[in-house]
Amino acid sequence: MLIFDVVIAMIILSGISMAFLGLYGWRFADRIPAAVPYTLLMASAAAWAILYSLELMTPSLPLKIVFHNLRFLFLPFVAVIELWLVIAYVKKTEWLRRDWAAAVLIIPVIAAFLGTTSPFHTLFRYNFSINTAGPVMVLQYTDSPFYTLYIFYSLVLLILAIVILIVESRKRKTLWEEQTIILLTALALPTIINYLFIFGITPLPGVNMTAPLFWIAAVLYTVALFRYRFLDIIPIARSRLIETMSTPMLVLDMGGRIIDLNPAACSLFATTLKAAVGKSVDGIAPDWPDFLSLCRSDETDHADLTRDQEGGARYYTGSVELIHTSSGEPEGRLVLLQDVTGQKNAERALRFSEEKFRKAFYTSPDAICISRLEDGMFVSVNKGFLDLSGYTEGEIIGRTSLERNIWKDKDDRDRVTRALISGEEVVNYEARFTTRDREIVGLVSASVIIINGTSHILTITRDITGRKQVEEAKDLLLEELGLKNAELDRFTYTISHDLKSPLITIRGFLGLLGQDLKKNDPSLVQKDMDRISSAAEKMERLISTLLALSRSGKSVDSPEYIPLTGLVQEAAGLLDVSLKNQGVTLTVAEDLTVVSGDRQSLLQVMTNLLENAIKFMGDQKEPRIDVGVRQEDAGPVFFVRDNGMGIRKEDQPKIFGLFERLYPEIPGTGIGLATVKRIIEAHGGKIWVESEGAGEGTTFWFTLPGNPKDRNSSARD
């Protein structure tokens, strides 16, 4: 009976311990991801212990079976909950997907159903009886194959949880931290004891020692909770924030105990994380009463602190922020210490050489100003600043918005300010400024100085606008020369290739012509002559296009008034063969009015536009080109419209580019439309293209200056 009483007492102790830990963990459920699975795990362990104690204490077989089977309402899910707890602890919550959870829960759900209904089938455990051979009356039974599968599946999940804990802790370099080791032990110990019992290894025959020994795991969890703050908010913040900060930082609970501190704070207070956590802050700084007073503040506070140490005094700006729960209750303090010794030394140096500084300040040709770090208000400026900015001293001193407005790009001001706040000095930072009457480029050097205990910014700006303009002009010239050279190389290559093609054709058919003359066959001779003539015409048009391109950018010195209808018909006559060969119907409006410009250049425009429409007609069964005009308030707008291949939306912005050939399979030089655009713009007009896309036809719209007399006449009519 003594053994029985001890076992029951251990089980009850374990159940109470686990229930208490579960209740404590629930208070973190609204903000700590690991708190929910932890609470469920503790509740499951407590229920297991209670039901197992009832099973052992009752002598009735039916009641033993009932208490035994009730455990399977939650036991199949313990391994799943432990896996959940580990995933949340290592902050891999993105793994907690619903589809994965549903798959993982299939076997536990089946096991829970079969376990609680096992008296009615043999699919889980059956053949129940009481074994009285040992010191404790225990329930014995026969396990089904599915029960064996469920046990193996649970073991796999538990092993997976332990592997994840080890692997992820190694990645974060926290594997050997006490908190991780304790959690690993608390998870592994009950698992090992339970599976030893399953395989028949137990000090008491028939008694599963997992529940009686839960109190050991409870002790481990208690240490993790109260000594290492396992479910506290601070470990979450540590890996992301505290560890990487160069500023000393401490986190205290409301009782003044240290919950966490970063390496910078450890260095400042000559301690270690292991030695400091859990102790009162008084223990690491007993000789710094001003700091300890700040740490006990019941509200957000700031203070200037001085600490005497070897090598001289150090100066700090200290701040304390209260950490609140989701319900608004304070639960801790965040303490930051900013070392401002350099600023203090600068202040002393400034005071020591005040007269020397004053002379340099007011006589320097550079623009020098002093403004408050907090809000940018000007407190002092020199003559160089007034000359550069164009403002008077009365318009500047005491102003805050002006300081912000002078910076053209506010990001430049913010970068300089952030650098100064972090303790850095700014040297030769290039920025643009807007003064009263102009924009300048300046080289800025700045540092923080202390005046009457307040942080200020000393800024020196040197005007480099002239030098910058020279540099930019030089860079632009070099860039333009580079582009011109590249364009010239490409032009030379393309034109030489396009000129060589008809020359090769002419040379080839001249050879054939000589042979066909010997054959005295007039039909062959005529074909050769036609091909030679066609190649010569192609070369002539190419040369004309080149001549037009060479003149395209020049302004029209002596414009003449040209009836555009007649000009279009003349261009059509030059392309008569192509129009007939393609079967194109050309319609030219009779009211195209009179335009002003260079006749030869505008003839080239119309020829190129018509030739382009013919060339890109595609396989249209009834090819058509319309040339017309649309009257608008600003004047006539002319158009050349075809029903051919059309132009893709994404290609339309490139259509007037030099050497742009959007359809390489169609012969062309890639300079025709570029020439058209240059000629029209040189005449003071503009051209644009519209097309709904491939296969939808194309319309080229353009404007040209007209006859002033016609405009006046139209206005009177």
Side-chain angles (χ1 to χ4, degrees), residues 227-435:
R227 178 64 174 88
Y228 296 103
R229 317 292 286 186
F230 164 57
L231 289 180
D232 212 328
I233 190 172
I234 303 308
I236 297 175
R238 178 180 180 76
S239 62
R240 299 180 183 176
L241 180 64
I242 302 179
E243 191 70 30
T244 58
M245 291 183 63
S246 59
T247 300
M249 181 176 184
L250 302 91
V251 182
L252 313 174
D253 64 14
M254 293 307 293
R257 288 186 307 164
I258 298 174
I259 296 175
D260 207 350
L261 71 170
N262 67 348
C266 290
S267 176
L268 175 63
F269 295 107
T271 186
T272 63
L273 178 65
K274 181 178 179 180
V277 170
K279 294 182 179 178
S280 172
V281 69
D282 296 43
I284 64 170
D287 57 346
W288 200 358
D290 292 343
F291 168 71
L292 296 178
S293 177
L294 179 68
C295 291
R296 297 188 184 97
S297 177
D298 290 330
E299 57 186 16
T300 299
D301 198 4
H302 298 79
D304 292 329
L305 306 172
T306 304
R307 190 181 194 199
D308 295 324
Q309 49 190 79
E310 294 183 8
R314 305 291 298 181
Y315 302 93
Y316 299 88
T317 297
S319 65
V320 60
E321 298 279 348
L322 294 183
I323 303 173
H324 295 86
T325 65
S326 58
S327 60
E329 294 296 324
E331 65 173 354
R333 297 181 179 92
L334 177 65
V335 182
L336 289 171
L337 293 172
Q338 177 71 47
D339 190 336
V340 294
T341 304
Q343 298 172 17
K344 288 290 186 180
N345 291 338
E347 180 184 1
R348 290 183 174 183
L350 183 62
R351 290 176 178 175
F352 179 76
S353 58
E354 182 176 356
E355 187 59 33
K356 185 177 181 180
F357 170 78
R358 186 181 298 275
K359 290 180 181 179
F361 182 85
Y362 287 107
T363 60
S364 173
D366 293 329
I368 306 177
C369 67
I370 300 176
S371 57
R372 277 199 317 224
L373 178 62
E374 179 183 3
D375 55 9
M377 187 186 78
F378 284 108
V379 298
S380 185
V381 296
N382 73 339
K383 184 178 183 300
F385 187 92
L386 298 176
D387 293 341
L388 187 63
S389 68
Y391 291 97
T392 65
E393 189 171 6
E395 293 174 313
I396 294 176
I397 301 302
R399 299 280 300 277
T400 57
S401 60
L402 179 64
E403 190 269 344
R404 296 181 176 88
N405 294 335
I406 286 178
W407 294 80
K408 181 178 181 182
D409 188 343
K410 302 304 182 290
D411 289 342
D412 284 334
R413 178 187 181 276
D414 293 341
R415 290 190 191 101
V416 170
T417 304
R418 284 197 299 269
L420 295 173
I421 291 175
S422 64
E424 302 177 18
E425 287 192 354
V426 176
V427 178
N428 291 339
Y429 182 85
E430 186 176 303
R432 292 184 179 271
F433 300 89
T434 303
T435 67

Side-chain angles (χ1 to χ4, degrees), residues 79-92:
V80 178
I81 295 172
E82 290 187 331
L83 179 60
W84 178 9
L85 173 64
V86 169
I87 290 174
Y89 175 75
V90 298
K91 301 177 183 66
K92 288 290 183 180

